Amino acid sequence: MNAIIVTGGKQYKVAEGDVLFIEKLPVEAGETVKFDQILAILDGEKATFGAPVVAGASVEATIVKNGKGKKIRIFKYNPKKGYRKRQGHRQPYTKVEITKISV
């Protein structure tokens, strides 16, 4: 069974046992989180689509850890003008494991 969920402004296709990296949630590691915005439930040949969400469906996940991604470097400059700017960024994430999909 698969489900399409919305979290952090993005859509993810998930199945039970999947581990994925999503936008950071204000939840500590080891806790359980419940996603209520389910766009579709796909179960073999049977598919249920919501308008916009499937009523009564939910996906439960366990928080594995919170962390930061790899550092990316942003470098801006204008030639012949003496303008140089270097900046770094590390995107925070939450690693979750899908435990249960219920309709």
Side-chain angles (χ1 to χ4, degrees), residues 37-54:
Q37 287 191 336
I38 311 301
L39 300 180
I41 300 286
L42 311 166
D43 191 11
E45 295 294 318
K46 186 177 148 194
T48 306
F49 298 97
V53 294
V54 178

Side-chain angles (χ1 to χ4, degrees), residues 71-75 86-89:
K71 180 176 272 193
I72 60 167
R73 299 271 184 196
I74 300 102
F75 187 74
R86 187 177 73 187
Q87 183 180 352
H89 177 75

Side-chain angles (χ1 to χ4, degrees), residues 19-41:
V19 175
L20 58 139
F21 295 87
I22 61 174
E23 293 294 318
K24 186 176 181 196
L25 298 174
V27 184
E28 295 298 320
E31 295 184 26
T32 303
V33 67
K34 189 174 187 180
F35 300 109
D36 293 328
Q37 287 191 336
I38 311 301
L39 300 180
I41 300 286

Side-chain angles (χ1 to χ4, degrees), residues 75-85:
F75 187 74
K76 301 177 183 178
Y77 86 105
N78 289 339
K80 304 179 193 133
K81 302 294 182 201
Y83 171 74
R84 287 167 168 24
K85 182 177 182 181

Side-chain angles (χ1 to χ4, degrees), residues 7 18-35 59-67 93-99:
T7 179
D18 282 356
V19 175
L20 58 139
F21 295 87
I22 61 174
E23 293 294 318
K24 186 176 181 196
L25 298 174
V27 184
E28 295 298 320
E31 295 184 26
T32 303
V33 67
K34 189 174 187 180
F35 300 109
V59 172
E60 290 183 13
T62 304
I63 306 298
V64 177
K65 74 173 197 171
N66 291 316
Y93 67 84
T94 299
K95 184 177 179 181
V96 297
E97 181 177 0
I98 306 300
T99 55

